Amino acid sequence: MNSAILHFISPPIPYFVDCGHAYYGVGDTHIDRNCLGVFDLIVVRKGVLPIGENGNTWEIKEGEGLILLPNGHHYGSAPCKTDTEITWIHFQTFGSWQMCRDTNECLGNQLELIEAHKKAVFLNHADACSIFISKYMKLSLKAMEALDTFFQQDHEPQSLRNWKRQASFQLLLQYLDRDHAPPADAAAIRLAEQIELFIRQNYANDITNSVLQEQMNYHPNYLAKVMMKVYGMTPMAYLQYYRLEQSKRLLLQTPWSIARIAGEVGFRHTSHYSTCFSKKEGLSPLSFRSKFAKQR
C-alpha cells in the first residue's frame, strides 16, 4: 500500500487530545471542515468511508486508517454506499513534523528536521528521534487491539481515563511506527538500531569499524549503508555526533573542564573535540556553556 509518510520528531511525543465513534448510513457523507487544528486519525471498523483532503481522495475500508492534517480541508468525497462505522482519534504535537512522499525522503530530511526541532523546543542537550507513520494504512492486529483500549476505559473516572488514554495512544503510535515500513526497510532499520544502541552504550570507548564488524557480524560497508539509510550518516559519523551531544549535557550540567568533558565522551585530544564541536555548533564549547548554562 503506497502512502505518504508523516514524520514526527520527539520528544515531546505527539499527544492524545480526544477520541470517539461516528456512524454513517447509506447516502451520508463525512463532515466538510477546514483547518481542524489537530491531526485526525480515522479508522474504519465497518463499511467504506469515501473521504477527501486538499483535492486528494481515498476510500477507507474496514481495518484501514487515514490521518488528516491539522491545516487541511477535509470532506466526504462521495456518499457512503453501505452502513459505515469509524473510530477517530484527535492528536497534536509540539514538535517538528513534515509529510514526505516516502520513507527515503523522510530519512533524507531527518537530520535537518531534528536540528530544527531541537531549536524550536529548546532541547539543545537532549536526544531526539523520529516517528514514521503512514498517512494511509492497513492497521495490524496489535494496532487494532491498542485502539480498542481507548474505549475499554469509559467506565474510569475522567482524571484516570485521560492518563490511561495518553498511555494507550503512545502504544498505538509505537505499532503504527513499526508497521509502516516494508520488510526490506524494516530489516535495515532493525540493524541500524542495533548499531545505534551499541554506540550509545559504548561511545566513551574506542569504537572502530572493525569493532562494529565484530559485534554485528556484517561488513563495515553494509553497516555504513544501513546507517546512512536510517540515520543519514555512517556509524563513525554517528559516533562523533552522539559524543558531541553527550558533551552538551556535561557542559550544561557539570562544572568540569573542557579537557575532562572531552575525555569523558571519548575524544582523545581536547583540541580535536573543540574543533568538532565548533564546526557543528558554530561556537566553542566554552561559548556554548556561557550561552546556555547559568553561571556557577
Side-chain angles (χ1 to χ4, degrees), residues 12-23:
I13 296 171
Y15 59 91
F16 169 82
V17 175
D18 197 8
C19 64
H21 299 293
Y23 304 89

Side-chain angles (χ1 to χ4, degrees), residues 233-248:
M233 59 183 89
T234 65
M236 293 300 100
Y238 186 85
L239 173 62
Q240 178 173 292
Y241 166 83
Y242 191 76
R243 283 171 169 169
L244 292 174
E245 290 300 297
Q246 296 311 298
S247 78
K248 290 181 187 178

Side-chain angles (χ1 to χ4, degrees), residues 94-114:
F94 286 115
S96 295
W97 68 278
Q98 62 181 0
M99 187 169 71
C100 299
R101 292 186 302 271
D102 52 33
T103 302
N104 287 334
E105 184 181 0
C106 288
L107 296 173
N109 298 336
Q110 183 170 219
L111 291 180
E112 182 179 346
L113 192 62
I114 285 176

Side-chain angles (χ1 to χ4, degrees), residues 36-94:
L36 181 62
V38 292
F39 293 92
D40 187 5
L41 168 60
I42 293 176
V43 178
V44 172
R45 313 305 296 264
K46 173 186 173 183
V48 179
L49 181 67
I51 194 167
E53 178 185 66
N54 300 335
N56 299 307
T57 60
W58 298 264
E59 284 196 341
I60 315 174
K61 302 177 178 64
E62 184 176 332
E64 295 179 348
L66 179 73
I67 298 178
L68 300 173
L69 304 182
N71 55 353
H73 176 210
H74 315 141
Y75 47 90
S77 56
C80 289
K81 297 178 181 179
T82 183
D83 290 342
T84 299
E85 176 185 343
I86 71 168
T87 293
W88 55 266
I89 294 179
H90 291 168
F91 68 96
Q92 190 50 282
T93 182
F94 286 115

